[in-house]
Amino acid sequence: MRSYLIIDNDLNTISNIKNVLEDYNEFNCISVSSNYDVVMNIILKESPDVVFFNIDNVIENPFVFAQELNLFNDDFPVLIAISASKEKAYEVIKNGFFDFLLNPLNELELRKSVLKVLKK
């Protein structure tokens, strides 16, 4: 069983992710939050396999957060960035994110991303 965490505060995005991942028995949602302390604690305590991360407006500096996570956690989760624009795509790649999804989420693109994680 693979666990995942959603870092977002947009109910539509959260719902879309959960709906697609319900099709895969391999995945279990451990939490949804947009609070830095809560999210960091969950990641360090629960070590989720996948983190869906809205990089636009949830955590002040998402790339510093990702780097910090790497310092504390040997089991670095697969990070999937979510953004409303392609503007930060370069930074996403340079900071070791596994994939990049545009918001509003497209079910097909989300499904492809999930299948890439399962293939990994």
Side-chain angles (χ1 to χ4, degrees), residues 34-90:
S34 59
N35 178 283
Y36 173 89
D37 290 339
V38 171
V39 167
M40 183 62 83
N41 191 48
I42 290 169
I43 292 172
L44 296 177
K45 183 179 175 184
E46 303 290 333
S47 297
D49 299 298
V50 182
V51 175
F52 292 91
F53 190 172
N54 182 331
I55 60 170
D56 287 339
N57 58 4
V58 178
I59 291 178
E60 188 174 327
N61 193 332
F63 305 114
V64 170
F65 177 83
Q67 292 168 1
E68 185 178 3
L69 225 139
N70 199 20
L71 291 174
F72 296 121
N73 200 346
D74 287 338
D75 296 326
F76 193 72
V78 170
L79 295 176
I80 298 175
I82 300 168
S83 180
S85 76
K86 296 178 185 177
E87 202 172 285
K88 297 178 184 173
Y90 178 77

Side-chain angles (χ1 to χ4, degrees), residues 7 12 17 23 26 28 30 40 53 72 77 88-89 115:
I7 303 174
N12 287 332
I17 294 169
D23 293 342
E26 297 92 338
N28 176 45
I30 57 171
M40 183 62 83
F53 190 172
F72 296 121
K88 297 178 184 173
L115 290 172

Side-chain angles (χ1 to χ4, degrees), residues 14-29:
I14 294 165
S15 177
N16 287 340
I17 294 169
K18 285 184 166 188
N19 286 339
V20 169
L21 271 81
E22 281 177 0
D23 293 342
Y24 302 92
N25 294 330
E26 297 92 338
F27 287 99
N28 176 45
C29 182

Side-chain angles (χ1 to χ4, degrees), residues 104-116:
L105 293 179
N106 174 298
E107 181 181 343
L108 177 59
E109 291 304 313
L110 180 55
R111 195 170 300 282
K112 286 178 183 178
S113 188
V114 169
L115 290 172
K116 284 195 311 190

